[in-house]
Amino acid sequence: MEDGVRPNEGGNRKRSFADLLQWSQWQLLDSILPTGSLLLPFVYSATVAPNLKNWQKLDNVLEATLTNEVGRKASISQGSSLIRVASAVFSEYSCLKSFRDTCLASGSVSFHHAPVFGLICGVIGLDSETSQRAYMFLTMRDVISAATRLNLVGPIAASVLQHQMTHVAESILKKWMDRSVEDACQITPLLDVVQGCHAYLFSRMFCS
């Protein structure tokens, strides 16, 4: 063909973009499914009873539940940072700093992210539906942001992806909303095993 132009080139580009977007949807779904089934019950339970005893119990249950070392360490790191920042930002809620200082001194909690998030939402007065919806949104946002930094999707494609997956996230939220920790479960065990191998990668951009 003249100038090396192939008749299919535009179509191939479109197909490639669609395939990539579809692959990204599955990757995002793999992240928000266990967020709903495993973590939302902890967010809910911490939000409706934001006290020290309940938080310690929830944190210990989640510590025993997470068998994936990579995910466990990431949860602790994020939770520790979140409560440190929240206790400084929401200084009018002195109980946050008091809870943190007490647990740091006693070593009674690991500061997992989901119970910490629910605790903070409950203390500052958010209702359980808002806290669970916010947690699901943050998970979607963080996964899409990571995909953008890895150059798997561009900024515009990331916005398209979030828009297309909103109804899926909402259906997962409605399915797992307002459940007790006794209902928490891991519904993607194979992915949990695969994530556990992340630490063995020669080079990696993220901790989990």
Side-chain angles (χ1 to χ4, degrees), residues 70-84 110-113 207:
V70 175
R72 190 185 71 84
K73 286 182 177 179
S75 176
I76 292 172
S77 175
Q78 291 176 336
S80 300
S81 300
L82 179 60
I83 196 166
R84 177 175 57 82
S110 301
F111 296 100
H112 282 290
H113 186 255
C207 294

Side-chain angles (χ1 to χ4, degrees), residues 40-129:
L40 280 189
F42 288 91
V43 175
Y44 167 71
S45 299
T47 302
V48 296
N51 58 70
L52 181 60
K53 184 177 180 181
N54 185 50
W55 174 40
Q56 290 173 329
K57 174 189 171 184
L58 293 172
D59 187 90
N60 291 331
V61 171
L62 188 54
E63 170 72 11
T65 304
L66 293 176
T67 56
N68 178 343
E69 185 66 12
V70 175
R72 190 185 71 84
K73 286 182 177 179
S75 176
I76 292 172
S77 175
Q78 291 176 336
S80 300
S81 300
L82 179 60
I83 196 166
R84 177 175 57 82
V85 172
S87 61
V89 172
F90 301 113
S91 55
E92 64 270 29
Y93 300 99
S94 58
C95 59
L96 287 175
K97 186 176 186 306
S98 174
F99 289 169
R100 178 175 181 265
D101 292 344
T102 299
C103 292
L104 282 174
S106 64
S108 57
V109 300
S110 301
F111 296 100
H112 282 290
H113 186 255
V116 166
F117 187 90
L119 173 72
I120 294 168
C121 289
V123 167
I124 66 176
L126 295 182
D127 60 84
S128 60
E129 182 179 348

Side-chain angles (χ1 to χ4, degrees), residues 25-203:
Q25 288 175 346
W26 282 108
Q27 292 292 310
L28 182 56
L29 185 62
D30 289 340
S31 297
I32 61 178
L33 276 174
T35 297
S37 64
L38 181 62
L39 299 178
L40 280 189
F42 288 91
V43 175
Y44 167 71
S45 299
T47 302
V48 296
N51 58 70
L52 181 60
K53 184 177 180 181
N54 185 50
W55 174 40
Q56 290 173 329
K57 174 189 171 184
L58 293 172
D59 187 90
N60 291 331
V61 171
L62 188 54
E63 170 72 11
T65 304
L66 293 176
T67 56
N68 178 343
E69 185 66 12
V70 175
R72 190 185 71 84
K73 286 182 177 179
S75 176
I76 292 172
S77 175
Q78 291 176 336
S80 300
S81 300
L82 179 60
I83 196 166
R84 177 175 57 82
V85 172
S87 61
V89 172
F90 301 113
S91 55
E92 64 270 29
Y93 300 99
S94 58
C95 59
L96 287 175
K97 186 176 186 306
S98 174
F99 289 169
R100 178 175 181 265
D101 292 344
T102 299
C103 292
L104 282 174
S106 64
S108 57
V109 300
S110 301
F111 296 100
H112 282 290
H113 186 255
V116 166
F117 187 90
L119 173 72
I120 294 168
C121 289
V123 167
I124 66 176
L126 295 182
D127 60 84
S128 60
E129 182 179 348
T130 301
S131 67
Q132 291 170 92
R133 180 168 276 107
Y135 196 78
M136 184 65 76
F137 170 77
L138 288 175
T139 301
M140 283 188 63
R141 184 201 66 180
D142 290 348
V143 173
I144 293 173
S145 175
T148 305
R149 294 199 299 275
L150 286 170
N151 203 29
L152 296 175
V153 294
I156 295 178
S159 300
V160 172
L161 177 62
Q162 181 171 336
H163 175 69
Q164 291 180 343
M165 294 296 289
T166 298
H167 70 285
V168 178
E170 187 67 23
S171 64
I172 293 172
L173 174 69
K174 288 179 178 177
K175 179 178 180 179
W176 294 100
M177 190 165 50
D178 296 348
R179 292 181 180 245
S180 66
V181 292
E182 286 76 16
D183 293 328
C185 59
Q186 173 58 271
I187 60 175
T188 55
L190 180 59
L191 290 173
D192 202 39
V193 172
V194 172
Q195 188 190 29
C197 300
H198 182 269
Y200 297 104
L201 292 175
F202 177 74
S203 59

Side-chain angles (χ1 to χ4, degrees), residues 2-16:
E2 203 173 313
D3 297 327
V5 176
R6 295 184 179 137
N8 255 10
E9 195 172 346
N12 286 338
R13 266 201 222 100
K14 289 179 183 176
R15 195 178 306 114
S16 175

